[in-house]
Amino acid sequence: MAQCKKCFRPVNDCHYCNGGRASSPIAGKLTCSKCNNTGSLCNEHGGYWK
Ligand SMILES: [Zn+2]
Ligand SMILES: [Zn+2]
């Protein structure tokens, strides 16, 4: 399981882009500012775990 590079806690699937699987087919590629396009979110650091 992926973990945060800052706090080393497990990251959760990003609920803004459904864990990197964007539901909208409009955008060709995933661009989620919440998780920094990683599909995962740290509770503390958001998408800046990578
Ligand atoms: Zn973190
Ligand atoms: Zn996201």
Tab-separated table of all heavy atoms in Angstrom:
chain	number	residue	atom	x	y	z
A	1	MET	N	0.845	-1.197	0.000
A	1	MET	CA	0.000	0.000	0.000
A	1	MET	C	0.877	1.242	0.000
A	1	MET	O	1.903	1.299	0.656
A	1	MET	CB	-0.895	-0.037	1.240
A	1	MET	CG	-1.959	1.067	1.212
A	1	MET	SD	-2.965	1.039	2.693
A	1	MET	CE	-4.514	1.620	2.001
A	2	ALA	N	0.415	2.224	-0.724
A	2	ALA	CA	1.177	3.467	-0.777
A	2	ALA	C	1.118	4.190	0.558
A	2	ALA	O	0.126	4.094	1.278
A	2	ALA	CB	0.630	4.362	-1.868
A	3	GLN	N	2.167	4.873	0.863
A	3	GLN	CA	2.183	5.641	2.098
A	3	GLN	C	2.773	7.019	1.847
A	3	GLN	O	3.521	7.238	0.887
A	3	GLN	CB	2.961	4.918	3.184
A	3	GLN	CG	4.395	4.641	2.829
A	3	GLN	CD	5.148	3.871	3.895
A	3	GLN	OE1	6.345	3.787	3.873
A	3	GLN	NE2	4.429	3.295	4.848
A	4	CYS	N	2.451	7.923	2.743
A	4	CYS	CA	2.899	9.305	2.615
A	4	CYS	C	4.417	9.379	2.799
A	4	CYS	O	4.969	8.783	3.712
A	4	CYS	CB	2.175	10.174	3.640
A	4	CYS	SG	2.716	11.886	3.617
A	5	LYS	N	5.049	10.129	1.916
A	5	LYS	CA	6.494	10.268	2.000
A	5	LYS	C	6.899	11.218	3.116
A	5	LYS	O	8.067	11.335	3.451
A	5	LYS	CB	7.039	10.785	0.662
A	5	LYS	CG	6.918	9.764	-0.449
A	5	LYS	CD	7.955	8.671	-0.294
A	5	LYS	CE	7.779	7.595	-1.357
A	5	LYS	NZ	7.999	8.110	-2.705
A	6	LYS	N	5.924	11.902	3.647
A	6	LYS	CA	6.233	12.872	4.706
A	6	LYS	C	6.000	12.295	6.088
A	6	LYS	O	6.794	12.491	6.989
A	6	LYS	CB	5.382	14.134	4.524
A	6	LYS	CG	5.858	14.985	3.364
A	6	LYS	CD	5.130	16.327	3.377
A	6	LYS	CE	5.709	17.254	2.311
A	6	LYS	NZ	5.084	18.587	2.348
A	7	CYS	N	4.863	11.607	6.251
A	7	CYS	CA	4.529	11.117	7.588
A	7	CYS	C	4.491	9.593	7.630
A	7	CYS	O	4.266	9.003	8.673
A	7	CYS	CB	3.195	11.710	8.047
A	7	CYS	SG	1.790	11.216	7.054
A	8	PHE	N	4.667	8.943	6.458
A	8	PHE	CA	4.765	7.485	6.371
A	8	PHE	C	3.514	6.760	6.839
A	8	PHE	O	3.570	5.615	7.235
A	8	PHE	CB	5.990	6.975	7.146
A	8	PHE	CG	7.256	7.574	6.633
A	8	PHE	CD1	7.883	8.594	7.326
A	8	PHE	CD2	7.810	7.118	5.445
A	8	PHE	CE1	9.057	9.155	6.843
A	8	PHE	CE2	8.979	7.678	4.962
A	8	PHE	CZ	9.601	8.695	5.659
A	9	ARG	N	2.410	7.458	6.804
A	9	ARG	CA	1.150	6.813	7.091
A	9	ARG	C	0.490	6.404	5.781
A	9	ARG	O	0.754	7.025	4.737
A	9	ARG	CB	0.223	7.770	7.874
A	9	ARG	CG	0.557	7.821	9.345
A	9	ARG	CD	-0.414	8.690	10.101
A	9	ARG	NE	-0.124	10.114	9.883
A	9	ARG	CZ	-0.666	11.091	10.598
A	9	ARG	NH1	-1.527	10.816	11.548
A	9	ARG	NH2	-0.366	12.340	10.361
A	10	PRO	N	-0.345	5.375	5.794
A	10	PRO	CA	-1.003	4.937	4.565
A	10	PRO	C	-1.866	6.042	3.977
A	10	PRO	O	-2.527	6.778	4.712
A	10	PRO	CB	-1.887	3.762	5.013
A	10	PRO	CG	-1.309	3.309	6.305
A	10	PRO	CD	-0.697	4.527	6.944
A	11	VAL	N	-1.852	6.132	2.664
A	11	VAL	CA	-2.685	7.133	2.007
A	11	VAL	C	-4.005	6.496	1.577
A	11	VAL	O	-4.092	5.287	1.364
A	11	VAL	CB	-1.975	7.732	0.775
A	11	VAL	CG1	-0.790	8.574	1.205
A	11	VAL	CG2	-1.537	6.632	-0.176
A	12	ASN	N	-5.003	7.315	1.437
A	12	ASN	CA	-6.325	6.853	1.040
A	12	ASN	C	-6.577	7.194	-0.423
A	12	ASN	O	-5.969	8.109	-0.972
A	12	ASN	CB	-7.393	7.532	1.900
A	12	ASN	CG	-7.148	7.318	3.382
A	12	ASN	OD1	-6.949	6.210	3.830
A	12	ASN	ND2	-7.158	8.407	4.139
A	13	ASP	N	-7.497	6.464	-1.031
A	13	ASP	CA	-7.907	6.811	-2.383
A	13	ASP	C	-8.494	8.215	-2.398
A	13	ASP	O	-9.273	8.577	-1.534
A	13	ASP	CB	-8.966	5.826	-2.884
A	13	ASP	CG	-8.345	4.565	-3.439
A	13	ASP	OD1	-7.109	4.465	-3.446
A	13	ASP	OD2	-9.107	3.686	-3.863
A	14	CYS	N	-8.120	8.980	-3.379
A	14	CYS	CA	-8.646	10.331	-3.501
A	14	CYS	C	-10.121	10.263	-3.880
A	14	CYS	O	-10.470	9.679	-4.903
A	14	CYS	CB	-7.865	11.102	-4.562
A	14	CYS	SG	-8.536	12.741	-4.874
A	15	HIS	N	-10.966	10.825	-3.052
A	15	HIS	CA	-12.394	10.761	-3.347
A	15	HIS	C	-12.816	11.847	-4.316
A	15	HIS	O	-13.944	11.884	-4.759
A	15	HIS	CB	-13.215	10.833	-2.059
A	15	HIS	CG	-12.790	11.927	-1.125
A	15	HIS	ND1	-11.844	11.726	-0.139
A	15	HIS	CD2	-13.157	13.214	-1.037
A	15	HIS	CE1	-11.668	12.871	0.512
A	15	HIS	NE2	-12.447	13.785	-0.004
A	16	TYR	N	-11.919	12.741	-4.651
A	16	TYR	CA	-12.257	13.783	-5.621
A	16	TYR	C	-12.169	13.243	-7.046
A	16	TYR	O	-12.927	13.639	-7.920
A	16	TYR	CB	-11.320	14.983	-5.467
A	16	TYR	CG	-11.483	15.690	-4.145
A	16	TYR	CD1	-10.620	15.429	-3.084
A	16	TYR	CD2	-12.527	16.603	-3.966
A	16	TYR	CE1	-10.777	16.073	-1.873
A	16	TYR	CE2	-12.686	17.245	-2.749
A	16	TYR	CZ	-11.815	16.980	-1.712
A	16	TYR	OH	-11.971	17.606	-0.505
A	17	CYS	N	-11.268	12.346	-7.280
A	17	CYS	CA	-11.126	11.771	-8.621
A	17	CYS	C	-11.301	10.258	-8.576
A	17	CYS	O	-10.919	9.553	-9.502
A	17	CYS	CB	-9.767	12.131	-9.213
A	17	CYS	SG	-8.376	11.469	-8.289
A	18	ASN	N	-11.894	9.750	-7.524
A	18	ASN	CA	-12.184	8.329	-7.399
A	18	ASN	C	-10.899	7.499	-7.456
A	18	ASN	O	-10.792	6.534	-8.209
A	18	ASN	CB	-13.170	7.895	-8.487
A	18	ASN	CG	-13.787	6.534	-8.187
A	18	ASN	OD1	-13.832	6.111	-7.043
A	18	ASN	ND2	-14.247	5.857	-9.216
A	19	GLY	N	-9.921	7.890	-6.698
A	19	GLY	CA	-8.676	7.132	-6.619
A	19	GLY	C	-7.873	7.132	-7.906
A	19	GLY	O	-7.191	6.165	-8.213
A	20	GLY	N	-7.973	8.216	-8.650
A	20	GLY	CA	-7.218	8.303	-9.886
A	20	GLY	C	-8.002	7.837	-11.096
A	20	GLY	O	-7.538	7.985	-12.224
A	21	ARG	N	-9.168	7.272	-10.868
A	21	ARG	CA	-10.013	6.831	-11.969
A	21	ARG	C	-11.120	7.858	-12.169
A	21	ARG	O	-12.234	7.677	-11.717
A	21	ARG	CB	-10.598	5.452	-11.673
A	21	ARG	CG	-9.532	4.395	-11.503
A	21	ARG	CD	-10.132	3.074	-11.092
A	21	ARG	NE	-10.708	3.133	-9.742
A	21	ARG	CZ	-9.997	2.980	-8.628
A	21	ARG	NH1	-8.705	2.760	-8.692
A	21	ARG	NH2	-10.576	3.046	-7.458
A	22	ALA	N	-10.771	8.928	-12.849
A	22	ALA	CA	-11.726	10.018	-13.031
A	22	ALA	C	-12.978	9.525	-13.734
A	22	ALA	O	-12.906	8.794	-14.716
A	22	ALA	CB	-11.075	11.139	-13.832
A	23	SER	N	-14.111	9.932	-13.198
A	23	SER	CA	-15.381	9.469	-13.755
A	23	SER	C	-15.744	10.225	-15.018
A	23	SER	O	-16.502	9.743	-15.837
A	23	SER	CB	-16.497	9.628	-12.728
A	23	SER	OG	-16.556	10.970	-12.292
A	24	SER	N	-15.184	11.407	-15.180
A	24	SER	CA	-15.525	12.209	-16.344
A	24	SER	C	-14.638	11.860	-17.538
A	24	SER	O	-13.412	11.889	-17.440
A	24	SER	CB	-15.354	13.693	-16.012
A	24	SER	OG	-15.525	14.472	-17.174
A	25	PRO	N	-15.228	11.517	-18.658
A	25	PRO	CA	-14.450	11.181	-19.853
A	25	PRO	C	-14.054	12.412	-20.653
A	25	PRO	O	-13.403	12.292	-21.691
A	25	PRO	CB	-15.424	10.319	-20.655
A	25	PRO	CG	-16.768	10.871	-20.293
A	25	PRO	CD	-16.662	11.376	-18.865
A	26	ILE	N	-14.426	13.580	-20.166
A	26	ILE	CA	-14.145	14.802	-20.919
A	26	ILE	C	-12.640	15.039	-21.003
A	26	ILE	O	-12.070	15.242	-22.066
A	26	ILE	CB	-14.837	16.017	-20.261
A	26	ILE	CG1	-16.355	15.814	-20.293
A	26	ILE	CG2	-14.449	17.304	-20.987
A	26	ILE	CD1	-17.121	16.873	-19.513
A	27	ALA	N	-11.991	14.985	-19.858
A	27	ALA	CA	-10.548	15.196	-19.830
A	27	ALA	C	-9.835	13.914	-20.243
A	27	ALA	O	-10.098	12.842	-19.701
A	27	ALA	CB	-10.108	15.618	-18.439
A	28	GLY	N	-8.951	14.029	-21.184
A	28	GLY	CA	-8.232	12.852	-21.670
A	28	GLY	C	-7.351	12.258	-20.597
A	28	GLY	O	-7.264	11.048	-20.446
A	29	LYS	N	-6.700	13.092	-19.831
A	29	LYS	CA	-5.847	12.596	-18.772
A	29	LYS	C	-6.296	13.146	-17.436
A	29	LYS	O	-6.975	14.171	-17.371
A	29	LYS	CB	-4.393	12.983	-19.021
A	29	LYS	CG	-4.163	14.481	-19.003
A	29	LYS	CD	-2.682	14.801	-19.073
A	29	LYS	CE	-2.446	16.304	-18.952
A	29	LYS	NZ	-1.042	16.635	-18.781
A	30	LEU	N	-5.895	12.472	-16.410
A	30	LEU	CA	-6.321	12.864	-15.077
A	30	LEU	C	-5.595	14.119	-14.621
A	30	LEU	O	-4.382	14.194	-14.645
A	30	LEU	CB	-6.033	11.717	-14.110
A	30	LEU	CG	-6.264	12.038	-12.633
A	30	LEU	CD1	-7.738	12.295	-12.387
A	30	LEU	CD2	-5.782	10.893	-11.778
A	31	THR	N	-6.389	15.097	-14.228
A	31	THR	CA	-5.790	16.296	-13.661
A	31	THR	C	-6.557	16.638	-12.390
A	31	THR	O	-7.575	17.304	-12.433
A	31	THR	CB	-5.862	17.478	-14.640
A	31	THR	OG1	-7.204	17.618	-15.086
A	31	THR	CG2	-4.954	17.256	-15.824
A	32	CYS	N	-6.093	16.134	-11.301
A	32	CYS	CA	-6.742	16.380	-10.020
A	32	CYS	C	-5.800	17.172	-9.132
A	32	CYS	O	-4.730	16.702	-8.770
A	32	CYS	CB	-7.108	15.045	-9.362
A	32	CYS	SG	-7.897	15.243	-7.761
A	33	SER	N	-6.203	18.376	-8.826
A	33	SER	CA	-5.347	19.228	-8.006
A	33	SER	C	-5.379	18.811	-6.539
A	33	SER	O	-4.501	19.160	-5.769
A	33	SER	CB	-5.797	20.688	-8.138
A	33	SER	OG	-7.152	20.812	-7.744
A	34	LYS	N	-6.412	18.044	-6.174
A	34	LYS	CA	-6.531	17.644	-4.774
A	34	LYS	C	-5.461	16.625	-4.403
A	34	LYS	O	-4.857	16.692	-3.349
A	34	LYS	CB	-7.917	17.050	-4.525
A	34	LYS	CG	-9.049	18.028	-4.756
A	34	LYS	CD	-8.988	19.195	-3.783
A	34	LYS	CE	-10.166	20.143	-4.014
A	34	LYS	NZ	-10.098	21.306	-3.118
A	35	CYS	N	-5.246	15.672	-5.288
A	35	CYS	CA	-4.286	14.612	-4.980
A	35	CYS	C	-3.015	14.767	-5.809
A	35	CYS	O	-2.170	13.888	-5.819
A	35	CYS	CB	-4.915	13.254	-5.223
A	35	CYS	SG	-5.345	12.954	-6.953
A	36	ASN	N	-2.905	15.887	-6.515
A	36	ASN	CA	-1.712	16.116	-7.326
A	36	ASN	C	-1.542	15.006	-8.366
A	36	ASN	O	-0.442	14.555	-8.639
A	36	ASN	CB	-0.478	16.221	-6.445
A	36	ASN	CG	0.618	17.029	-7.107
A	36	ASN	OD1	0.360	17.835	-7.990
A	36	ASN	ND2	1.838	16.821	-6.691
A	37	ASN	N	-2.661	14.520	-8.885
A	37	ASN	CA	-2.697	13.501	-9.925
A	37	ASN	C	-2.140	12.148	-9.491
A	37	ASN	O	-1.736	11.344	-10.325
A	37	ASN	CB	-1.940	13.975	-11.186
A	37	ASN	CG	-2.464	15.312	-11.683
A	37	ASN	OD1	-3.636	15.630	-11.513
A	37	ASN	ND2	-1.620	16.087	-12.304
A	38	THR	N	-2.103	11.918	-8.205
A	38	THR	CA	-1.583	10.641	-7.740
A	38	THR	C	-2.701	9.641	-7.502
A	38	THR	O	-2.472	8.436	-7.469
A	38	THR	CB	-0.821	10.826	-6.413
A	38	THR	OG1	-1.729	11.306	-5.431
A	38	THR	CG2	0.330	11.789	-6.589
A	39	GLY	N	-3.919	10.141	-7.329
A	39	GLY	CA	-5.039	9.249	-7.032
A	39	GLY	C	-5.121	8.868	-5.565
A	39	GLY	O	-5.987	8.112	-5.166
A	40	SER	N	-4.180	9.369	-4.789
A	40	SER	CA	-4.166	9.051	-3.368
A	40	SER	C	-4.033	10.323	-2.545
A	40	SER	O	-3.461	11.314	-3.003
A	40	SER	CB	-3.015	8.105	-3.045
A	40	SER	OG	-3.124	6.932	-3.805
A	41	LEU	N	-4.542	10.264	-1.343
A	41	LEU	CA	-4.498	11.436	-0.479
A	41	LEU	C	-4.038	11.057	0.920
A	41	LEU	O	-4.542	10.099	1.509
A	41	LEU	CB	-5.900	12.049	-0.373
A	41	LEU	CG	-6.349	13.034	-1.446
A	41	LEU	CD1	-7.785	13.447	-1.193
A	41	LEU	CD2	-5.461	14.248	-1.486
A	42	CYS	N	-3.114	11.824	1.450
A	42	CYS	CA	-2.769	11.684	2.857
A	42	CYS	C	-3.717	12.559	3.668
A	42	CYS	O	-4.057	13.653	3.244
A	42	CYS	CB	-1.325	12.127	3.086
A	42	CYS	SG	-0.886	12.212	4.834
A	43	ASN	N	-4.130	12.063	4.791
A	43	ASN	CA	-5.042	12.844	5.618
A	43	ASN	C	-4.411	14.172	6.016
A	43	ASN	O	-5.089	15.169	6.200
A	43	ASN	CB	-5.412	12.058	6.871
A	43	ASN	CG	-6.310	10.877	6.541
A	43	ASN	OD1	-7.013	10.881	5.539
A	43	ASN	ND2	-6.276	9.859	7.371
A	44	GLU	N	-3.110	14.178	6.157
A	44	GLU	CA	-2.425	15.373	6.621
A	44	GLU	C	-1.877	16.209	5.468
A	44	GLU	O	-1.929	17.417	5.493
A	44	GLU	CB	-1.256	14.978	7.527
A	44	GLU	CG	-1.679	14.324	8.821
A	44	GLU	CD	-1.844	15.338	9.939
A	44	GLU	OE1	-1.298	16.430	9.828
A	44	GLU	OE2	-2.541	15.019	10.917
A	45	HIS	N	-1.359	15.541	4.455
A	45	HIS	CA	-0.595	16.246	3.434
A	45	HIS	C	-1.220	16.211	2.054
A	45	HIS	O	-0.601	16.615	1.087
A	45	HIS	CB	0.821	15.666	3.361
A	45	HIS	CG	1.507	15.666	4.686
A	45	HIS	ND1	1.762	14.520	5.389
A	45	HIS	CD2	1.960	16.691	5.452
A	45	HIS	CE1	2.355	14.842	6.536
A	45	HIS	NE2	2.489	16.140	6.595
A	46	GLY	N	-2.423	15.669	1.928
A	46	GLY	CA	-3.087	15.649	0.647
A	46	GLY	C	-2.296	14.872	-0.387
A	46	GLY	O	-1.865	13.755	-0.137
A	47	GLY	N	-2.103	15.453	-1.560
A	47	GLY	CA	-1.440	14.740	-2.648
A	47	GLY	C	0.059	14.915	-2.660
A	47	GLY	O	0.724	14.487	-3.591
A	48	TYR	N	0.596	15.511	-1.628
A	48	TYR	CA	2.030	15.791	-1.635
A	48	TYR	C	2.850	14.683	-0.990
A	48	TYR	O	3.893	14.918	-0.409
A	48	TYR	CB	2.305	17.123	-0.925
A	48	TYR	CG	1.725	18.282	-1.679
A	48	TYR	CD1	0.526	18.855	-1.305
A	48	TYR	CD2	2.398	18.783	-2.801
A	48	TYR	CE1	-0.003	19.904	-2.014
A	48	TYR	CE2	1.869	19.835	-3.510
A	48	TYR	CZ	0.671	20.401	-3.121
A	48	TYR	OH	0.135	21.443	-3.834
A	49	TRP	N	2.348	13.486	-1.117
A	49	TRP	CA	3.060	12.379	-0.509
A	49	TRP	C	4.046	11.764	-1.481
A	49	TRP	O	4.903	10.989	-1.103
A	49	TRP	CB	2.069	11.297	-0.058
A	49	TRP	CG	1.244	10.778	-1.180
A	49	TRP	CD1	0.101	11.304	-1.678
A	49	TRP	CD2	1.521	9.632	-1.964
A	49	TRP	NE1	-0.346	10.573	-2.718
A	49	TRP	CE2	0.501	9.529	-2.924
A	49	TRP	CE3	2.536	8.669	-1.951
A	49	TRP	CZ2	0.479	8.496	-3.875
A	49	TRP	CZ3	2.494	7.648	-2.888
A	49	TRP	CH2	1.478	7.580	-3.841
A	50	LYS	N	3.934	12.136	-2.752
A	50	LYS	CA	4.756	11.474	-3.761
A	50	LYS	C	6.002	12.295	-4.075
A	50	LYS	O	5.906	13.511	-4.123
A	50	LYS	CB	3.934	11.274	-5.037
A	50	LYS	CG	4.487	10.183	-5.911
A	50	LYS	CD	3.456	9.829	-6.961
A	50	LYS	CE	3.898	8.581	-7.724
A	50	LYS	NZ	2.902	8.193	-8.722
B	1	ZN	ZN	1.358	12.699	5.179
B	2	ZN	ZN	-7.622	13.129	-6.966
